[in-house]
Amino acid sequence: QVQLVESGGGLVQAGGSLRLSCAASGRTFSIYAMGWFRQALGKEREFLAAAAITWNDGSTYYADSVKGRFTISRDNAKKTVYLQMNNLKPEDTAVYYCAATRESSSRLQGGADYWGQGTQVTVSS
């Protein structure tokens, strides 16, 4: 099994920044890519970004809604991904979930094999 643990959520004012982290543990050799989703109250879960965490694949993917504001990065050795979120807006308020897949990073948008518990991000106006 794989465990994903997120950290870094919290309360921030509009225009501010936050950096989320997600560390994988357990059978991490099975993971090809990791990424982030979010779910706002009353809305469906939304894909944000994905990155391969293998040494020979540096691909990343973003949802159009966050391109230019959010940046995903990775530490392959630590099986950790980060999500740097800048210029946050009240509509970014949501529970942010880390996800991992055994398939390529481009496939994570369609669903994950593993999920974290989520971390709350609240952006005040």
Side-chain angles (χ1 to χ4, degrees):
Q1 265 293 10
V2 172
Q3 294 78 43
L4 304 176
V5 178
E6 304 101 334
S7 61
L11 175 64
V12 63
Q13 288 187 334
S17 299
L18 278 177
R19 188 192 192 211
L20 305 182
S21 301
C22 174
S25 61
R27 300 172 66 87
T28 58
F29 60 86
S30 66
I31 299 174
Y32 190 94
M34 296 173 66
W36 295 92
F37 290 72
R38 69 184 177 189
Q39 188 167 20
L41 196 62
K43 295 187 177 181
E44 294 186 353
R45 191 170 293 188
E46 174 191 15
F47 168 78
L48 299 177
I53 58 168
T54 60
W55 294 102
N56 60 349
D57 185 351
S59 61
T60 57
Y61 290 90
Y62 292 93
D64 289 341
S65 60
V66 300
K67 282 182 181 177
R69 291 197 302 129
F70 292 7
T71 302
I72 190 169
S73 58
R74 89 295 302 276
D75 184 327
N76 291 350
K78 295 182 179 179
K79 300 298 184 185
T80 298
V81 291
Y82 308 93
L83 188 68
Q84 177 67 41
M85 305 185 292
N86 297 328
N87 190 23
L88 285 163
K89 306 173 182 179
E91 51 264 42
D92 293 317
T93 295
V95 177
Y96 283 68
Y97 294 92
C98 179
T101 179
R102 296 186 291 267
E103 301 183 25
S104 66
S105 52
S106 63
R107 299 292 298 273
L108 184 62
Q109 185 173 1
D113 297 304
Y114 309 102
W115 293 94
Q117 292 298 309
T119 185
Q120 177 71 43
V121 171
T122 302
V123 184
S124 63
S125 57

